[in-house]
Every structure is written in C-alpha cells, then in structure tokens.
Amino acid sequence: MDITHTSKKSRGVFSLTEEGKIIGIMTYQCMDEECFIIDHTEVDYDYNGKGYGTALIKYAVEYARENHKKIIPMCPFVKSYFKQNPEVRDVAYK
C-alpha cells in the first residue's frame, strides 16, 4: 500500500495504491492557507472493510500536523472518524 498527495491550486487529493492500482482517494479543497476541507473519500468496493479509508484519514491528519493546518471534515466517513477518535481532534478546525 502506498499513499501519495497531489495538489493543484486550491484542490488536492490523497491517492492510495496497491500493486500499482488506485484503490482509494480522498479529495479536499483549501479554505485558506491554514485549513482544508475533506469533501470526499472513496475506496474501491473490492477493498471495503480493510482499513484503507482509515489509512487515508491518518495520512491526511499527519499531513495537516506536519504543515500546521486544520481540517474541516465534510465527508461523512471522515466526520464520523473525527467524532470517534479524539486523538485526531488537534487538527480539527473549531
């Protein structure tokens, strides 16, 4: 499993690949220099339930921490994860 991050202007995507195939993505848009909104997370149906969505969230959280950014979790999956896991709330936009 490999996760990469690409961004272009005010939008970005975290892509998860396995054996060269993209199996999951998480998209975001920048609110400003210090905050981004995660608006969509999707994992290929054949890979559901294997923790790949959570891996994307953890990668985004680490990216936010390393770059001193906050996250607004608009995606229902990410929003639920933030509610259930207090250890990531340090990057939640208040």
Side-chain angles (χ1 to χ4, degrees), residues 22 28 33 44 51 57-59 70 77 83-84 88 91:
I22 295 176
Y28 69 87
E33 296 267 329
D44 186 294
I57 293 171
K58 289 179 178 180
Y59 191 93
K70 297 292 183 181
F77 177 69
K83 284 182 182 177
Q84 295 174 15
V88 299
V91 297

Side-chain angles (χ1 to χ4, degrees), residues 16-42:
L16 187 148
T17 59
E18 189 171 86
E19 298 178 8
K21 176 184 175 186
I22 295 176
I23 59 170
I25 60 165
M26 174 181 285
T27 60
Y28 69 87
Q29 54 187 313
C30 296
M31 187 170 99
D32 57 33
E33 296 267 329
E34 300 167 354
C35 183
F36 61 97
I37 302 164
I38 296 176
D39 52 18
H40 182 70
T41 305
E42 183 176 341

Side-chain angles (χ1 to χ4, degrees), residues 2-6 13-17 56 59:
D2 186 39
I3 299 176
T4 57
H5 172 234
T6 54
V13 63
F14 299 100
S15 302
L16 187 148
T17 59
L56 285 165
Y59 191 93

Side-chain angles (χ1 to χ4, degrees), residues 30-81:
C30 296
M31 187 170 99
D32 57 33
E33 296 267 329
E34 300 167 354
C35 183
F36 61 97
I37 302 164
I38 296 176
D39 52 18
H40 182 70
T41 305
E42 183 176 341
V43 174
D44 186 294
Y45 181 80
D46 292 336
Y47 296 88
N48 282 347
K50 297 184 179 182
Y52 291 121
T54 300
L56 285 165
I57 293 171
K58 289 179 178 180
Y59 191 93
V61 167
E62 285 307 309
Y63 169 80
R65 286 179 179 144
E66 291 171 6
N67 292 280
H68 309 287
K69 296 186 182 291
K70 297 292 183 181
I71 296 172
I72 298 175
M74 295 299 290
C75 165
F77 177 69
V78 179
K79 188 181 284 190
S80 174
Y81 186 88

